[in-house]
Every structure is written in C-alpha cells, then in structure tokens.
Amino acid sequence: MEIMRLVVTGPVGAGKSTFIRSVSEIEVVDTDRRATDEVADMKHKTTVALDFGRLQFGPQHALHLYGTPGQARFDFMWDILIRRAHAYILLVAAHRPHEFRYARRMLMFMEQRTQVPLLLGMTHCDLPGAWAEDNLMLALGYVPGRPRPPVMVVNANDRTSVAQAIIALVQHSMAQQGSFIP
Amino acid sequence: MALNLEKLSSVLQNFVSGTADVQGAALVTPDGLPLTSTLPSGMDEERVSAMSAAMLSLGERIGSELARGSIDRIFVEGDKGYGILTSCTEDAVFLVLADKAAKQGVLMLEIKRSLAELKLLLA
Ligand SMILES: Nc1nc2c(ncn2[C@@H]2O[C@H](COP(=O)(O)OP(=O)(O)OP(=O)(O)O)[C@@H](O)[C@H]2O)c(=O)[nH]1
Ligand SMILES: [Mg+2]
C-alpha cells in the first residue's frame, strides 16, 4: 500500500476540518476545541492540533488527509505537517476578503518549506459577497505572468465537491511529479 | 467568565517559587490562549499556550483511541527537564516546566495541590 499525504490548510473557518470530515472513510481524528477568541463569533470550535482522515484511492493507494489549524499561534503545526506533505490544498473562504492577505501569508509560509504541488480551493462561493476567481487570485498575489497553481471552487460540506478537489490535486501532483499513479 | 486572574496568577507564582526545580508554569485555555503564566525568560507565552493546547488535545485523543481512558497528565521528559500538562478544568490547561533535577514524586504532589487551588478559583 502506497500512502500519499495530503495537507489541507488555509485560514480559520475556510472549511479544512469539514473538508476532511466529508470524505474520510475512517472516523476523523479531530482536535477541535471550543473557541474562546474572536473565532467564536464565526463558529463554535476551532482546530488546535490537526485533523486526520483517510481515503482509499484505488486498490494500491491510500490518501492520508491532514488538516492544519488556521490560527497563526499554531504555526508549529503548519510546519510539522507541511514538511511531510506530498501535496497540499489551501482553502480560502471567497466571501471573506479581509482574510485574503492572511491566506497569502500562509501560502508564503508553506512555500518556504515545501515545493510539493498545491491546489487552491475557493470555499463559500455559494454565499453573497464571494469574490470571483480572477480577483481572488490577484489578491493572493498571483499577478499576471506569475505561475498560478490550479484553482477550484470547493464546497467543504459536499462530499462530491471535496472528492473532485482531491482527484484534481492528485492528478496535478502526478503531472508534476509522475510518481503517484493510482 | 469573570476570572480572577490576579488570584490565579498568584497561585502560579507561589507554585513556581515554592517548588524546588520548577522553572515555569502556565494556565491556558483549551484552544491555546494564555490565561496567566510565569515562564522562564525568552519563552513566548503565546507559543507555549498554543503548544500546550495542541499537545493535550492529541494526548487526549490518543488516550481514547488507544483505550487508555481519560488522560490525567501528559509527561514530556527531555535530557534538560520535564514538561507536564494536566487538564485543570473544562476551561483551563495547566502546564509545568521543571528542571531535570526535580523529584518526580514531589513535583506530582505539588502539581496536584496547585490544581486543587486553581480549580476552586476557576469554578
Ligand atoms: N456555505 C458554505 N459553507 C461552507 C463551505 N465550506 C465550508 N463551509 C462551512 O464553513 C465552516 C468551516 O468550519 P471548519 O471546517 O471548522 O473550518 P476550519 O477551516 O477547520 O477552521 P479552523 O480549524 O478553526 O481553522 C463550517 O461551518 C462549514 O459548514 C461552502 O463552500 N459553503
Ligand atoms: Mg479545523
């Protein structure tokens, strides 16, 4: 059995834990705790260490899905998780533009530590105020001419949508590295 | 939550100064925010708090997943000393940093004593 480690990262509330919960075949390991900071205004719980889920991918391959915390005080977990990733996905809530700059900082953090394939997942696109892809990419620093990672709309609550994102990431990863062939 | 931070902090200070070979202690929320702390200089309170919460959450999960029951404490032993994490109440995690010279039995007893005081204040 070959194991591919996928890391799911992104700002608080982007949908990392939900994403993993939507597709995992095992009961996910979550480390969500009641939020006592400003996150509590948005949602009840927040991840303090990691999420872990698993997904069988063909007879010979298993995907291990690791979700990071969103808050910068847990950046030691970002570091631990990203260094071992075979590929990663950064989720951004498209309707919360005030978080784009933070997402961009997270991207830089990851890019300083890994060169593995990346996919950008835009969540919350069904909600009012969601930015269009081109504008969001600009806000994340992908100015014209700069190579862009693939981008997708993802609804973390929707199993099919999450599965599509994972397949796209695995394919992107195969195209880039040619190593992981389910 | 009307926390009496002053009293909590004095319990921590008494514990650190009154227990041999204890170098620091912190009381943090389960989502990794500092409530109060007395830490060795150069140690960042915010980082210590986040790490405490992460470690306790994983330890608790490992405890249940590997059928160890509910977790009393998490014990990290390095060649320079100990880090001991105890869940204090639903709203607080207690971290103690001790020198390698610390006597474990005494340490555990003192931690237990302080925990009782902290629990009263947090109730
Ligand atoms: N409407 C809508 N809601 C979404 C979408 N994706 C995720 N959500 C919701 O957004 C929230 C995300 O919460 P979590 O999964 O805990 O977010 P997280 O990224 O793990 O957050 P932290 O662990 O705190 O960093 C959940 O309430 C999801 O139901 C989407 O595409 N559309
Ligand atoms: Mg989460």
Side-chain angles (χ1 to χ4, degrees), chain A residues 27-31 33-37 46 48-50 73-77, chain B residues 29-33 46-47 50-51 53-54 56-58 60-61 65 90-91:
Chain A
E27 193 197 326
V28 299
V29 173
D30 79 52
T31 57
R33 290 292 179 271
R34 190 164 60 85
T36 62
D37 51 10
T46 190
V48 302
L50 53 79
R73 64 176 179 274
F74 298 109
D75 64 2
F76 58 93
M77 289 305 308
Chain B
T29 65
D31 64 334
L33 293 166
E46 193 181 335
R47 206 163 172 79
M51 287 193 164
L56 187 69
S57 73
L58 280 175
E60 286 177 343
R61 186 64 198 221
E65 197 104 3
E90 220 171 82
D91 302 310

Side-chain angles (χ1 to χ4, degrees), chain A:
Chain A
M1 183 77 55
E2 203 173 315
I3 289 169
M4 187 186 195
R5 284 186 296 274
L6 298 185
V7 163
V8 183
T9 190
V12 170
K16 304 173 292 294
S17 299
T18 310
F19 181 99
I20 292 177
R21 223 172 283 131
S22 288
V23 286
S24 179
E25 290 159 356
I26 57 167
E27 193 197 326
V28 299
V29 173
D30 79 52
T31 57
D32 281 16
R33 290 292 179 271
R34 190 164 60 85
T36 62
D37 51 10
E38 64 284 347
V39 172
D41 299 336
M42 180 180 9
K43 64 200 185 91
H44 227 59
K45 287 181 150 192
T46 190
T47 305
V48 302
L50 53 79
D51 307 290
F52 176 70
R54 185 185 189 281
L55 187 62
Q56 189 69 31
F57 207 82
Q60 288 305 316
H61 295 90
L63 299 181
H64 284 187
L65 303 168
Y66 290 91
T68 72
Q71 308 184 47
R73 64 176 179 274
F74 298 109
D75 64 2
F76 58 93
M77 289 305 308
W78 303 353
D79 185 73
I80 292 172
L81 294 170
I82 201 64
R83 286 181 191 279
R84 304 184 64 230
H86 292 118
Y88 66 116
I89 178 163
L90 183 113
L91 298 179
V92 187
H95 73 317
R96 282 199 289 268
H98 55 279
E99 283 171 6
F100 295 166
R101 193 205 278 270
Y102 182 81
R104 189 169 167 174
R105 285 223 315 272
M106 274 185 110
L107 268 176
M108 278 167 57
F109 184 99
M110 302 302 162
E111 279 165 354
Q112 278 164 12
R113 287 162 179 80
T114 187
Q115 313 262 295
V116 298
L118 158 70
L119 181 124
L120 289 176
M122 301 170 55
T123 59
H124 297 80
C125 289
D126 52 317
L127 294 181
W131 281 35
E133 176 182 318
D134 282 348
N135 293 336
L136 191 141
M137 288 306 274
L138 264 181
L140 291 181
Y142 293 100
V143 289
R146 183 175 164 210
R148 287 167 156 222
V151 197
M152 272 181 81
V153 171
V154 185
N155 186 334
N157 285 305
D158 175 9
R159 185 168 200 279
T160 311
S161 169
V162 171
Q164 277 166 357
I166 289 175
I167 291 167
L169 179 57
V170 171
Q171 280 172 348
H172 172 50
S173 172
M174 279 162 54
Q176 235 182 49
Q177 304 183 319
S179 59
F180 183 81
I181 301 153

